[in-house]
Amino acid sequence: MEPEQSFYDYLKNISETQSPIDFVLIYDNLDRFVDGALVTLQLTFLALLVGGIIAVPLAIARAYRKPFLSPAIRVYTYVFCGTPLLVQVYLFYFGLGQFTAVQESFLWDPILSSPWWCVMIAFTLNTAAYTTEFLRGAIETTPHGEVEAAKACGMSPYARMRLVVLPSAFRRALPAYSNEVIFTLHGSVIASTVTLQDLLGVGRWLNGRYYLAYEGFLTAMVFYMAIVFMITFAFRLAEKRFLGHLRPRETPQPGAARVAA
Amino acid sequence: MTLKNKLLASTVGAIALMAGMATAEPLRIGVEGAYPPFSQKEADGSLSGFDIDIALALCAELERECELVEQEWDGMIPALIANKYDAIVASMSITEDRLRLVDFSEKYYQTPSRFVAAEGATFELTPEGTAGLKIGVLRGTTLQCHVEKAFPDADLRLYNTQEDVFADLVAGRLDMQLNNTLQAIDGFLNTPQGEGFAFLGDNVDDPECLGEGTGIAVRKGDELAAELSTAIAAIRADGTYAAINDAYFDVDIYGE
C-alpha cells in the first residue's frame, strides 16, 4: 500500500503545516461519512418513491375535480406545502411522542418510537404533497387533441389515462420533478435534528467530537454536491430521452442543406 | 422542546453592573440556556441559573461590563474561537481534548456524572451489558466521549439540547441517559417529568474523557484565564460563591 501511505503523509503534512483544515481527521472518518451518505440517500429516495406513488392517484383526483376528494386533497397539500418541513418532523417526533395514548398504541413500537420512521413519514407526506400539485398541473395541461385522438381510437377512460394522459403528463412534469428531488435531498438534513446519523449528522458528530467548526460541515457539503451532481446528470439524460421531441434539431434539415448549396 | 436557531449566537442583552464601571469593552460571555439549574431561560426570555450568576459575579469582581451571548452547545468552542464571545461559562469540563483548542481558568465547580434510567432498570454498565441499548447524551460533551469509549456497542443517540434528551427518555425512545448528577436531579428527577426515573450505577469514573472539574474556557493564550482564576478565588473567599451556591444546591459543589 505504498501510494496510499504517501498520500496519507501528504495530507498529514498539509494539515499540520499549511491548512487550517484538518484533512487527516476527515480522511480517518471517511467511512462514517459514507455511511451517513447512505442514510441520506435511503431517506431521500425511499420518501420520493413512496411519495411519488401516493401522488399519482391524488393528482388525478385533483385534476378531474372529483367532488369531496379534490377539496380534501387540496387541504392536505396546502398544509404540507405551506408549513416548514422542520415543523412537520418535530410534530411527528416530539409532538406525538408526548401523548401517553400514542405511546401505548400499537403504532408506537416499532413505528413512532423510531426517529427513522418519524422522519420517513414526514418526508413522504411532504414530497407527496408537492408532487401531487405539479403533477395535477401537468395533467390539466394535456393537449385536448391527444385526448380526443384517444377517444376516437375507442380507448376506455382507464386506457386513455394509462396510455395517453399520464405518460404525456410525466414528461411535462420531468423538469419540475428534478427540482423536487433536489429539494427533498436538501430537506433531508432535518433528519440530523432528531438524532439520525445522516450526512449532516455525521458532520455534526465530527464537529462535536473534536470541537471543530468547519471540517464536518465542509465534508458533508462536498458529499451533498456530489449527490446533486449525479441527480442533475441523471435528469439531463432522462430529459434527453423523454423530451427529445421538444428539443431544437441539431442537424440541419436535408431541405435546408440543398437550398444553401 | 426548543425551537431555536442553531448556529446563530443571539445577543441576549447587555447587563450593566455596579456604578463606576470600567470603560473597557464589555466582556462577552457565551452561555447555553438549556441546562437547568445551571443555565436556563425564564418565561420572559431572560437567562438565569448557577452559571449565569457565577458569570455575573465574576464580571462584578473583575469590574467589567458583561454581555451574555447565547449559543447552542455543539457550537460553543467554535464560536469562542471565531471571536463571537470572549469566555464560556457553561458548565464546561476541563479536558485534554478541549485544552488542545482553548485555555481554561481554574475550575469553578466539580460534580460527578451518572446514568439515569427508568426506576428498577437493571442494565449492566459493561460493554456487553449495554450492547444495543439506546443511550442519549448531549452532542459534543465529555459524556459523548465516555460512551463512545466505554460502551462502543451501545446505540448512542446525540441531541442538540439536554431538554431533548429528557423528552425522549420520557417518551421511551431511550433506555438511559448520562449527564451531570446535579443537573439530572434538579433539571429532571425532581420535576414532574422525571417521575418513575432514577439513577443507575455509580458515578462515572473516566478522568480522560470527563476531565477534572468545570472551568471557564477562553481563547488560547488569552490572559483572561488567569484573571478569571483570581476572580474565582476571590468570590470563593468573600462569600459571594457560597451565597450563589446555596441559592441552588444543598451542598457545596466546588468539590475538593
Side-chain angles (χ1 to χ4, degrees):
Chain A
M1 300 294 280
E2 186 55 34
E4 198 184 342
Q5 191 55 45
S6 65
F7 175 66
Y8 194 81
D9 288 343
Y10 171 74
L11 279 185
K12 207 169 162 183
N13 184 30
I14 286 213
S15 299
E16 278 167 8
T17 55
Q18 302 165 27
S19 153
I21 303 221
D22 191 344
F23 287 108
V24 174
L25 203 57
I26 296 173
Y27 185 83
D28 285 343
N29 289 291
L30 264 188
D31 52 340
R32 277 178 181 268
F33 278 98
V34 172
D35 288 345
L38 291 177
V39 172
T40 291
L41 288 173
Q42 185 193 38
L43 284 172
T44 307
F45 286 99
L46 259 178
L48 284 167
L49 179 73
V50 181
I53 292 171
I54 296 174
V56 174
L58 297 190
I60 295 172
R62 286 274 292 138
Y64 290 92
R65 303 208 165 74
K66 297 283 176 215
F68 305 115
L69 215 47
S70 176
I73 296 167
R74 178 63 188 139
V75 170
Y76 154 68
T77 58
Y78 188 79
V79 168
F80 276 84
C81 298
T83 56
L85 184 56
L86 180 68
V87 176
Q88 293 162 20
V89 170
Y90 271 23
L91 276 180
F92 278 103
Y93 189 78
F94 290 115
L96 285 181
Q98 286 185 345
F99 298 105
T100 332
V102 175
Q103 285 175 35
E104 282 163 1
S105 79
F106 70 102
L107 281 175
W108 181 253
D109 198 27
I111 308 285
L112 288 175
S113 67
S114 129
W116 191 89
W117 276 105
C118 287
V119 164
M120 199 61 203
I121 293 169
F123 284 7
T124 304
L125 290 177
N126 186 273
T127 181
Y130 277 100
T131 311
T132 299
E133 284 306 316
F134 67 70
L135 204 53
R136 169 191 62 86
I139 294 174
E140 282 174 351
T141 54
T142 306
H144 193 58
E146 289 183 16
V147 181
E148 266 188 341
K151 280 183 187 165
C153 293
M155 284 188 187
S156 68
Y158 172 74
R160 281 208 300 276
M161 180 60 67
R162 187 169 61 87
L163 297 172
V164 177
V165 176
L166 280 183
S168 154
F170 285 155
R171 280 165 203 241
R172 261 171 284 125
L174 199 56
Y177 195 61
S178 72
N179 282 335
E180 173 59 20
V181 172
I182 289 168
F183 284 147
T184 306
L185 175 74
H186 289 174
S188 74
V189 297
I190 285 169
S192 71
T193 62
V194 291
T195 75
L196 281 183
Q197 289 291 83
D198 71 335
L199 250 180
L200 185 66
V202 174
R204 296 179 75 161
W205 168 84
L206 189 74
N207 283 356
R209 178 70 188 77
Y210 298 97
Y211 314 111
L212 305 164
Y214 300 110
E215 280 81 350
F217 290 151
L218 276 180
T219 313
M221 200 174 93
V222 171
F223 271 83
Y224 281 117
M225 278 166 58
I227 296 172
V228 167
F229 177 79
M230 286 186 276
I231 293 173
T232 322
F233 184 73
F235 269 95
R236 200 174 305 154
L237 284 186
E239 283 174 28
K240 215 176 198 173
R241 168 86 178 73
F242 295 111
L243 297 175
H245 59 290
L246 296 179
R247 269 183 311 143
R249 291 186 182 229
E250 278 158 13
T251 46
Q253 292 178 10
R258 218 175 296 136
V259 170
Chain B
M1 160 170 102
T2 52
L3 288 170
K4 61 180 178 183
N5 281 348
K6 290 284 128 70
L7 288 163
L8 284 174
S10 60
T11 303
V12 174
I15 290 135
L17 292 161
M18 301 165 52
M21 215 65 210
T23 49
E25 286 272 289
L27 188 63
R28 295 164 303 160
I29 297 188
V31 296
E32 203 241 4
Y35 205 63
F38 291 97
S39 186
Q40 63 209 309
K41 262 223 185 110
E42 296 302 325
D44 64 0
S46 66
L47 287 158
S48 69
F50 179 80
D51 281 340
I52 310 293
D53 289 351
I54 288 288
L56 297 180
L58 291 175
C59 291
E61 183 62 37
L62 292 171
E63 298 190 358
R64 292 278 300 268
E65 199 179 327
C66 276
E67 199 179 300
L68 297 180
V69 181
E70 214 183 317
Q71 166 67 46
E72 202 162 75
W73 179 256
D74 67 356
M76 216 85 205
I77 287 182
L80 173 70
I81 294 169
N83 209 0
K84 305 270 188 221
Y85 39 72
D86 307 304
I88 298 171
V89 186
S91 297
M92 188 174 275
S93 306
I94 307 165
T95 65
E96 286 299 313
D97 272 354
R98 289 181 177 137
L99 279 168
R100 283 190 281 113
L101 297 156
V102 294
D103 283 349
F104 277 95
S105 71
E106 295 297 318
K107 70 165 184 175
Y108 67 97
Y109 79 84
Q110 181 167 14
T111 55
S113 291
R114 204 170 162 194
F115 281 97
V116 172
E119 245 170 74
T122 53
F123 305 127
E124 235 179 276
L125 296 178
T126 58
E128 299 79 36
T130 55
L133 285 186
K134 297 184 275 287
I135 302 179
V137 299
L138 188 58
R139 191 197 317 273
T141 54
T142 55
L143 310 161
Q144 178 186 343
C145 168
H146 174 68
V147 175
E148 283 179 357
K149 188 178 83 171
F151 311 116
D153 296 327
D155 179 2
L156 176 63
R157 306 264 174 104
L158 302 173
Y159 289 83
N160 294 346
T161 70
Q162 185 62 39
E163 289 164 354
D164 289 348
V165 181
F166 290 137
D168 264 6
L169 188 65
V170 172
R173 287 200 180 98
L174 294 172
D175 295 310
M176 49 185 173
Q177 74 94 27
L178 174 61
N179 78 330
N180 177 302
T181 46
L182 286 173
Q183 205 280 325
I185 292 171
D186 288 331
F188 182 64
L189 293 174
N190 281 356
T191 67
Q193 203 193 11
E195 219 172 293
F197 291 90
F199 282 119
L200 177 83
D202 301 322
N203 291 338
V204 173
D205 177 30
D206 181 1
E208 192 200 335
C209 273
L210 266 49
E212 312 271 3
T214 300
I216 299 171
V218 299
R219 280 181 291 277
K220 271 245 169 271
D222 194 335
E223 68 262 29
L224 194 57
E227 287 175 35
L228 285 166
S229 299
T230 316
I232 291 169
I235 62 167
R236 277 293 290 172
D238 72 7
T240 314
Y241 185 99
I244 296 172
N245 185 91
D246 294 349
Y248 293 96
F249 310 108
D250 300 333
V251 291
D252 183 3
I253 67 167
Y254 186 75
E256 299 300 300

